[in-house]
Amino acid sequence: MPSRRVPDLRTQPISEVAVFQDSRCQAIAALFAHAEKTALDAIDWYLGRRRFYAYCSRALRAMAALCVIAGSLLPLIDSATPHTVNPQWGFVLIGLSAGCILFDRVFGFSASWSRFMGCQVQLQRILAEAYIIWQQTCSEIDTESPTSHDRQLLIAIAANLLRGVRATIEEETRAWTGYLAEGLEELTRSSGGHAGSAEKQSPRPQEFSPLPAPRPGGQPPPASR
């Protein structure tokens, strides 16, 4: 029986929305619909993008674990049945395991997967809270003839939803740029940064100050205490 992929948990749009007779409230409802669509599009984007990073992260981690297990078993196999395998290949496999972890670390597959999941969960929470506040507010005001205060409340809900979505995306983008810089720095250190650090830490040659000039009359200078 073919396996079916379990669908992602998503915040579903509200099925029944309040209908406003006032044209100004209709414009506010359009603003809320725009903020809602922005949130839903961002959620779909993060859920779609995380699949590739999740696959790469799992593949690299599984390969690293298999290389460590195989590298650890080679000396034991050689001890049990001598000259069957070369135990020196265990070091090669352990080195490949470290390379997989470094590859994942530099390119950020696991970090991006975790970051995308956290971001879409936060976006769904913001959207769900906006749905609750919007429906609660619409049930308490007169939708046929809303007051100026009622319109301000509706505008605040739509604006807060849009700001929350943009702030979440910007925070995730800043985290991505910061991790990218850290990954490049770690790659530089792993590839050739040790020589540069050793050169920076090498001791400088000791500088000697010239001897003081002799005093008039040929008397030597007084000894320093």
Side-chain angles (χ1 to χ4, degrees), residues 18-33 134 141-156 158:
V19 179
F20 296 98
Q21 303 297 329
D22 184 69
S23 59
R24 290 170 293 186
C25 286
Q26 292 176 359
I28 299 173
L31 176 62
F32 182 82
W134 177 268
I141 65 176
D142 187 2
T143 56
E144 295 183 357
S145 58
T147 62
S148 176
H149 178 69
D150 297 337
R151 290 192 294 269
Q152 292 296 328
L153 291 177
L154 297 175
I155 291 176

Side-chain angles (χ1 to χ4, degrees), residues 79-99:
S79 299
T81 55
H83 308 293
T84 303
V85 293
N86 189 352
Q88 299 298 326
W89 283 103
F91 297 104
V92 177
L93 293 174
I94 294 177
L96 288 176
S97 173

Side-chain angles (χ1 to χ4, degrees), residues 159-193:
N160 289 334
L161 173 58
L162 193 56
R163 291 193 193 101
V165 172
R166 297 307 308 173
T168 303
I169 296 175
E170 291 173 1
E171 181 181 357
E172 189 275 328
T173 304
R174 284 193 297 268
W176 173 74
T177 54
Y179 190 90
L180 179 62
E182 293 178 0
L184 293 176
E185 182 180 357
E186 183 170 354
L187 180 61
T188 303
R189 290 197 307 265
S190 301
S191 58

Side-chain angles (χ1 to χ4, degrees), residues 93-117:
L93 293 174
I94 294 177
L96 288 176
S97 173
C100 292
I101 299 299
L102 178 61
F103 194 85
D104 180 37
R105 172 73 179 174
V106 171
F107 290 94
F109 293 113
S110 297
S112 297
W113 178 22
S114 175
R115 193 173 60 250
F116 289 169
M117 289 299 296

